[in-house]
Amino acid sequence: MQLVIVESPAKAKTIEKYLGSDFKVLASYGHVRDLPPKDGSVRPDEDFAMDWELYRDKQSRFKEIADAAKGASRLVLATDPDREGEAISWHVQELLKKRKALPTKVDRVTFNSITKSAVTEAMKSPRELDQPLIDAYLGRRALDYLFGFTLSPVLWRKLPGAKSAGRVQSVALRLIVDREREIEAFKPDEYWSVLAHLEHDGTAFDARLVRYKGEKLEKLSLGAEGIAMEAKAAVEGGRFTVEDVEKKPLKRNPAPPFTTSTMQQEAARKLGFSASHTMRLAQSLYEAGAITYMRTDGVQMDPGAINACREAIGEKFDAAYLPEKPRFYSTKAKNAQEAHEAIRPTNFSRDRAGGGDEAKLYSLIWKRAMASQMSTAQLERTTVTLRDATGQHELRATGQVVVFPGYFAIYQEGLDDQDDDEDGILPALKNGDVPAKTGVEATQHFTQPPPRFSEASLVKRLEELGIGRPSTYASTIQTLRDRNYVRMEKNRFFAEESGRLLTAFLERFFPTYVAYDFTAGMEDELDTVSDGREDYKELLAKFWQDFKPKADEVMEKMPSEVTEVLDEYLSDYLFPPREDGKDARYCPLCDAEGRSGGRLALRGGRNGAFIACANYPECKFTRSFGPPREDGDEAVQDGVMGQHPETGADIHRKSGRFGPYVEMEVDEKKKRASIPKDVDDFDLEWAIKLLELPRIIGAHPETGKEIEAAIGRYGPYLRHDGKYANLKTTQDVFDTGMNAAVTLLAEAAERKGRGRAKAEPIKTLGEHPTSGGEIKVMPGRYGPYVTDGTTNATIPKDIKPEDIEAAKAIELIDARAAKGPAKKKGRKKAAPKKKAAPKKTAAKKAPAKKKAAAKSDS
C-alpha cells in the first residue's frame, strides 16, 4: 500500500478515486504543528533552535496517518505546491521519523490542479523535499515569532490598550495611517470649469473651455468665481467654429490571467468580496477541481491550457476575436517568483462552477482567463477643437467609440478610482461647422485629497512595495480589523485611534522595523533563502543582533517616559492650533472654573491613552485620545451645564473613553447617562430628561403593570412585564404614548411567538465531502458552531468563527458524527435499594397517615 498525504479531505477523496486501490489518501487538515505560543519556542542563543508542538486537535488525525504509514511501502507527500505546502510535508515527515513510522521510500509530488491528468502526471515525476524552500519557511516563521513575541510584551507594558504588533501587519497599518495623515494635511484648492452645451444635426454634446484670452487653461487657472464668470460671459458672447477634427485609433490589450493579488483586487472591485472571503471561495473551487492552485504570483498559463482556452474562444466567438498567435505574459510585480501557473479554470468549456459566491468568483476567473487570449479591443478617439472669431478663446470636445470590442466582449478590468471617462459619441463634424449653443455653465470644484485605501488598493500597494506575500494579505488585513486598529466604512479603511497610537509608538521607538524599504528588503532576503543563496540562520542573526537590544532599551523606559515622548511626537495631531488663538493645550474646565496652569497632555491608563489636565486631581477634565471634537467649544461642552430644577444638584457634562456623558449626584451616588449620537442640540433640558430615565408611560390596559421607556446598551426600548420592544430614536423614548407602546409590545411578542428569525450563517465553506450538505458556520445560543445540515459541532473557544477554514470545519463535523447522537439528559435512576438489616423486635407503632399530594399550579 502506498500512502498519499494531502491537506484537505475533499482533495483526499477526489485523488483516491484517480489513483486506484493500491493507494490510500489521507488528509493532514492543513498544518499539523507549530511553534507553541510561549516564550522560548525559538531560542536565538542556541543557534535559533525551534520547538514544535503537535496541535491538540490534530493528535487523533495524525495517529491515523502514523498508523497507516507503518504499513505503507511508500509515502507520497502531495501537499500544495508552495512554501506552506512544502512546510506541511516536512512537518509530516519529521513527525513520522520521531514516531519511527516513516516508510523507507518517501517522495514529494506537486500538481497545479486537481484533475485526473494533472494528478497522474505528477505521480510519474516525484522529487525530494525542497530544503531551501523549507529553510525559507523556517526563517519566516522564526522571524515572525521573534518580532511578535519580543515586541508585544513591550507594547503591553509601555502602551496600555495595545494588543499586538506583527512584522507585516504593522507596516500595512502604517500605510493606512499615513494615508489618513495625508488626507488631514490636505488643503483643498478652489477651481472652476466652464462647459458649453452644444448641438449639431440633432445630437447634443459638451465642449470644455481650454484656452482663455490666448492662455492655455490648467486645472487651477480659473481659481475664483469672478474670473470664472468672465470666462463664462466670453463663451456666451462668442461664435465658435470648428477649426480641427482629429481622429486617433486606440488599442486596449487584455490583462493577464489572475494572480492571487489581482484576483483579490478584482473580487473586491467587482464583487465586493473581502480578501479573506475571496481566498476561502478560491480554496473551495480549487479543491473541487474547478480552478488551478490559487496561491501564485505567476501570470503565465500552461501551453496546453492556452490551446484549450483558444479552442473555447473559437467555439464561442467568430474568428476575429481570436488573435493569430497566443499571448504570453510576464509579471511586473516586485518579488514575483512565477513558480506556478496563473489562476485559471481547469476546463475552459465549463463557464459555470459552484453556487452562490463561489459561482460568482469562478465566473470572474473564467472570464479573465478567456479574455487574456482574445483579440485587442479597437477604439477611436475623436477630438474637436472650436475657436471664437478673435482666436483668443478655445473649446474642446472629446468622444470615444468602440470600433471592435475584442476582449471587451467578455471582460473589462476594474479600476479603484476612476476618472470621468470621455467616451460619449460626438456628431459628425467638419471644419467650418458652427454648432448651436444651447447653454453655458461655470462649475465650482475643489481639489480632492488622496482616497482612502480599499481592500483592492491596499493589496495592490502592498504588492507594489514588495511587503509580505499575496497569500498572506487576507490574514494580515483581517488581523488589523480583529484588533480594532482599523474599521471599514463604505469599503474604505479608516484608521482607528488605537491604530494611530500604535503606529506612532512604532515610528518613534522602532522606526527601522516599520519602514517600507526594510520590510520589503526582508522579503527579498527570504527569497534568497528559498533560492538556496543564503542561510536562514544568518538572516535571523542579522535581524536579532539589532532588534533585541532595541526592544530591551524600550522595555527599560518608564511608561511615563514613553507617554511623554509620544505626547511630543503627536502634538500637532492631538493639539492643533485653535481658531480663537488660545494655547492649543489649554484646559477648558480650568479656564471655566478660574484655575491657572491647566494644560492638556497625553496620559496612559489601564484602558488605553487619553488626554488629561496637568492640574489633576484638582481638575478632572479628560477627553478620549485624538484631536478635539469639531462640534463646538469644549469649554462649553465639558463642565457644569447647570442645576437640576428640583434637587439643585449640579449636572456635569464629561468626556469619557466611550464618548460624552452627563453626570449628577443623587443620594450621595453618581448617576450617569451617555449622550446619544442622534441628539443634535444637546442642552441642559436634554441632560435632565436623560438622567431621569426610565420614563414610566403608564399601566398596561390588560395587565395593569407599568410600561417604561429607556435607553440601554443596544439603544432605546420599551419594557413591560419582562418583555421588550425596540424604539427607533432617542426622541421616541420621550414621545411614545400608551397606544403606540401597547401596539409595539404586541408586535414584538407576535414576532417572538413566530419564533426567532432564521439566523444568517457567519460564512459558508462549500459541500461536505461525505454528506454532501453545505457547510455553514452559524451563531448559536451557546456559542458558534459548524454544521453540514445533519451534524452540528461546536467551534473551540480558541478559534474565531470568522477564521475557521473548510478543512477544520470538516474535521469538527466528522469528529462529532463519529461520537454518535448526543444522549438526552433525563432523571437519574434511583439507586437499587439495599436489603434492610433484620430489625430488632420492637413495640408496634400505629401507621402514619399519608399526606395528600400537593396540587400543581400548572
Side-chain angles (χ1 to χ4, degrees):
M1 184 265 289
Q2 300 180 59
L3 177 63
V4 180
I5 303 297
V6 295
E7 281 103 332
S8 81
K11 283 171 66 175
K13 187 177 178 182
T14 304
I15 291 169
E16 195 165 73
K17 288 179 187 175
Y18 295 155
L19 296 179
S21 58
D22 189 40
F23 292 86
K24 183 178 181 64
V25 185
L26 294 177
S28 70
Y29 288 83
H31 273 283
V32 293
R33 65 177 186 172
D34 196 6
L35 297 169
K38 61 183 181 182
D39 287 336
S41 295
V42 178
R43 298 183 295 284
D45 295 339
E46 298 176 29
D47 197 26
F48 297 97
M50 300 184 208
D51 290 334
W52 300 96
E53 182 177 81
L54 182 66
Y55 291 125
R56 286 185 181 180
D57 59 354
K58 296 292 177 69
Q59 290 180 4
S60 60
R61 294 287 176 192
F62 197 79
K63 183 178 183 302
E64 183 184 2
I65 291 173
D67 290 345
K70 288 175 183 176
S73 58
R74 178 191 179 206
L75 174 66
V76 181
L77 300 166
T79 49
D80 287 343
D82 59 3
R83 185 186 63 244
E84 293 302 308
E86 207 74 16
I88 292 169
S89 287
W90 176 77
H91 281 303
V92 169
Q93 179 177 275
E94 292 299 300
L95 277 169
L96 290 176
K97 273 184 191 175
K98 284 182 70 175
R99 298 191 181 196
K100 297 182 180 178
L102 189 69
T104 53
K105 185 171 178 56
V106 179
D107 288 319
R108 171 81 166 115
V109 301
T110 58
F111 34 81
N112 198 41
S113 60
I114 306 173
T115 60
K116 186 169 185 178
S117 59
V119 172
T120 51
E121 282 301 311
M123 295 297 285
K124 296 175 186 176
S125 307
R127 61 170 173 82
E128 294 183 351
L129 284 172
D130 187 334
Q131 191 58 47
L133 203 56
I134 295 165
D135 287 347
Y137 159 79
L138 294 172
R140 191 180 296 271
R141 190 68 195 88
L143 195 63
D144 290 341
Y145 172 91
L146 291 171
F147 189 96
F149 270 80
T150 305
L151 190 52
S152 292
V154 177
L155 294 176
W156 300 334
R157 290 172 176 81
K158 310 304 174 186
L159 196 68
K163 296 175 182 176
S164 71
R167 184 177 60 86
V168 176
Q169 163 199 324
S170 299
V171 182
L173 176 60
R174 185 188 163 193
L175 272 172
I176 295 169
V177 171
D178 278 351
R179 179 56 56 88
E180 204 74 34
R181 291 168 179 162
E182 287 179 62
I183 292 169
E184 290 165 356
F186 182 80
K187 302 294 182 189
D189 288 316
E190 179 186 6
Y191 69 98
W192 290 71
S193 63
V194 176
L195 198 69
H197 302 299
L198 306 174
E199 186 179 321
H200 186 73
D201 287 344
T203 302
F205 65 101
D206 295 332
R208 188 178 302 277
L209 182 65
V210 294
R211 187 177 293 274
Y212 176 58
K213 293 184 177 179
E215 297 291 328
K216 182 182 177 183
L217 294 181
E218 303 295 341
K219 185 175 184 177
L220 303 179
S221 295
L222 303 179
E225 184 176 8
I227 190 172
M229 291 303 134
E230 290 176 14
K232 177 187 175 186
V235 175
E236 286 175 329
R239 182 176 185 271
F240 286 84
T241 304
V242 174
E243 295 288 334
D244 183 49
V245 178
E246 182 184 32
K247 294 187 177 182
K248 279 187 178 179
L250 289 177
K251 292 183 179 181
R252 297 273 175 84
N253 290 317
F258 283 136
T259 62
T260 302
S261 169
T262 54
M263 178 180 68
Q264 291 173 1
Q265 291 172 48
E266 280 290 83
R269 295 183 191 115
K270 291 182 178 291
L271 305 175
F273 293 169
S274 67
S276 56
H277 185 53
T278 299
M279 293 308 291
R280 282 193 295 270
L281 298 172
Q283 179 83 36
S284 296
L285 289 169
Y286 167 65
E287 291 179 356
I291 63 170
T292 54
Y293 191 55
M294 67 288 160
R295 292 186 180 91
T296 175
D297 51 20
V299 293
Q300 188 54 271
M301 292 197 295
D302 177 81
I306 291 175
N307 291 335
C309 180
R310 287 172 61 83
E311 284 177 16
I313 294 167
E315 290 173 3
K316 289 184 178 291
F317 300 92
D318 64 39
Y321 287 85
L322 185 66
E324 288 184 14
K325 295 180 180 178
R327 294 183 183 275
F328 296 96
Y329 298 92
S330 60
T331 188
K332 296 177 183 177
K334 190 176 181 180
N335 286 338
Q337 299 297 295
E338 299 195 85
H340 312 302
E341 266 193 277
I343 302 167
R344 62 167 176 83
T346 55
N347 182 354
F348 280 95
S349 63
R350 182 185 183 189
D351 59 3
R352 291 190 184 124
D357 286 355
E358 277 185 20
K360 293 176 185 176
L361 183 63
Y362 178 83
S363 177
L364 201 66
I365 292 167
W366 181 82
K367 288 177 180 177
R368 173 82 168 220
M370 287 280 284
S372 73
Q373 289 298 319
M374 290 178 71
S375 296
T376 299
Q378 307 284 344
L379 300 91
E380 183 179 78
R381 174 170 289 169
T382 303
T383 303
V384 178
T385 303
L386 305 97
R387 294 191 188 95
D388 71 343
T390 67
Q392 294 291 296
H393 312 311
E394 186 176 298
L395 298 174
R396 182 174 298 156
T398 59
Q400 184 172 286
V401 293
V402 176
V403 177
F404 172 69
Y407 75 93
F408 279 5
I410 197 168
Y411 182 85
Q412 287 191 56
E413 190 173 19
L415 298 172
D416 293 311
D417 302 291
Q418 299 188 25
D419 295 324
D420 291 335
D421 288 327
E422 297 175 326
D423 55 0
I425 298 174
L426 297 177
L429 291 163
K430 61 183 183 299
N431 289 5
D433 285 343
V434 182
K437 200 186 307 164
T438 59
V440 180
E441 64 180 60
T443 306
Q444 183 186 39
H445 310 274
F446 291 93
T447 53
Q448 297 297 309
R452 288 182 172 87
F453 285 110
S454 62
E455 278 214 20
S457 57
L458 180 62
V459 166
K460 185 177 181 181
R461 187 65 182 138
L462 287 167
E463 188 175 34
E464 286 171 351
L465 292 170
I467 294 168
R469 278 278 177 237
S471 58
T472 65
Y473 291 157
S475 59
T476 297
I477 291 169
Q478 190 60 47
T479 299
L480 294 178
R481 297 176 71 172
D482 291 344
R483 299 282 187 270
N484 294 320
Y485 291 148
V486 300
R487 70 180 187 278
M488 290 290 281
E489 288 184 13
K490 296 180 180 177
N491 293 322
R492 296 283 171 170
F493 285 108
F494 286 71
E496 295 284 19
E497 301 298 358
S498 57
R500 294 191 70 134
L501 183 62
L502 173 60
T503 298
F505 174 84
L506 294 174
E507 286 176 328
R508 182 60 186 81
F509 293 101
F510 296 90
T512 299
Y513 304 99
V514 287
Y516 301 139
D517 55 354
F518 172 84
T519 310
M522 189 63 72
E523 294 296 335
D524 289 336
E525 288 199 67
L526 287 164
D527 287 340
T528 63
V529 172
S530 64
D531 293 343
R533 290 178 285 139
E534 185 174 357
D535 186 280
Y536 78 92
K537 292 184 178 179
E538 290 178 9
L539 181 152
L540 292 173
K542 284 190 291 184
F543 166 77
W544 189 246
Q545 70 183 11
D546 295 326
F547 182 69
K548 183 63 166 71
K550 186 64 181 174
D552 291 343
E553 176 193 327
V554 178
M555 187 65 98
E556 291 298 316
K557 294 181 182 293
M558 297 291 291
S560 57
E561 290 181 77
V562 172
T563 304
E564 189 176 330
V565 171
L566 290 177
D567 176 82
E568 182 181 350
Y569 186 74
L570 291 166
S571 178
D572 291 344
Y573 171 64
L574 297 175
F575 310 106
R578 296 179 60 91
E579 291 182 5
D580 59 11
K582 292 180 180 178
D583 181 358
R585 289 177 178 262
Y586 102 109
C587 174
L589 190 55
C590 284
D591 186 63
E593 297 180 357
R595 271 189 302 270
S596 61
R599 297 190 82 241
L600 303 180
L602 183 66
R603 294 285 182 267
R606 172 185 278 181
N607 296 317
F610 62 97
I611 308 300
C613 180
N615 279 339
Y616 180 85
E618 289 80 10
C619 177
K620 298 291 198 303
F621 176 86
T622 62
R623 78 166 194 246
S624 55
F625 176 85
R629 293 189 305 271
E630 296 179 357
D631 53 356
D633 186 355
E634 287 182 318
V636 175
Q637 296 198 3
D638 288 276
V640 178
M641 296 183 70
Q643 288 72 41
H644 193 281
E646 295 177 9
T647 66
D650 286 344
I651 295 177
H652 297 262
R653 172 169 179 148
K654 297 188 175 183
S655 297
R657 183 174 173 227
F658 301 106
Y661 63 94
V662 288
E663 180 181 273
M664 178 178 71
E665 195 166 295
V666 180
D667 298 330
E668 298 184 356
K669 292 183 179 179
K670 290 180 178 178
K671 186 171 184 179
R672 297 186 176 99
S674 293
I675 298 175
K677 292 181 179 178
D678 63 348
V679 176
D680 294 328
D681 300 317
F682 190 79
D683 55 14
L684 179 62
E685 183 182 350
W686 264 110
I688 294 167
K689 287 163 70 173
L690 289 172
L691 288 165
E692 289 180 341
L693 289 176
R695 167 183 166 247
I696 305 301
I697 296 173
H700 194 287
E702 294 177 8
T703 66
K705 295 182 179 180
E706 289 181 337
I707 300 174
E708 62 182 37
I711 300 173
R713 183 179 178 187
Y714 302 108
Y717 65 90
L718 295 171
R719 179 169 58 195
H720 162 256
D721 195 21
K723 309 291 193 302
Y724 295 84
N726 292 329
L727 293 172
K728 291 183 179 179
T729 68
T730 301
Q731 188 65 49
D732 289 344
V733 175
F734 303 98
D735 291 348
T736 301
M738 178 60 70
N739 291 339
V742 170
T743 302
L744 288 169
L745 287 163
E747 289 173 349
E750 186 182 350
R751 284 193 298 272
K752 189 172 182 182
R754 290 198 299 262
R756 289 185 180 182
K758 191 175 180 182
E760 289 294 321
I762 296 170
K763 61 194 282 191
T764 55
L765 299 170
E767 279 189 10
H768 189 284
T770 306
S771 71
E774 186 177 24
I775 301 172
K776 297 178 182 178
V777 183
M778 301 293 293
R781 185 177 177 187
Y782 303 106
Y785 64 95
V786 290
T787 181
D788 63 348
T790 305
T791 303
N792 298 346
T794 302
I795 297 174
K797 290 181 179 179
D798 60 343
I799 299 176
K800 291 186 177 180
E802 301 85 7
D803 295 342
I804 196 165
E805 300 293 344
K808 182 64 182 174
I810 293 166
E811 180 186 354
L812 291 171
I813 291 168
D814 290 352
R816 182 68 193 85
K819 292 179 182 178
K823 293 178 181 177
K824 292 184 179 178
K825 291 183 180 179
R827 295 180 186 176
K828 289 184 178 179
K829 290 183 179 178
K833 291 183 179 179
K834 294 181 180 178
K835 287 184 179 179
K839 292 183 180 179
K840 292 181 180 178
T841 306
K844 288 184 179 179
K845 291 183 180 180
K849 291 181 180 180
K850 290 183 179 179
K851 290 182 179 178
K855 289 184 179 179
S856 171
D857 292 331
S858 59

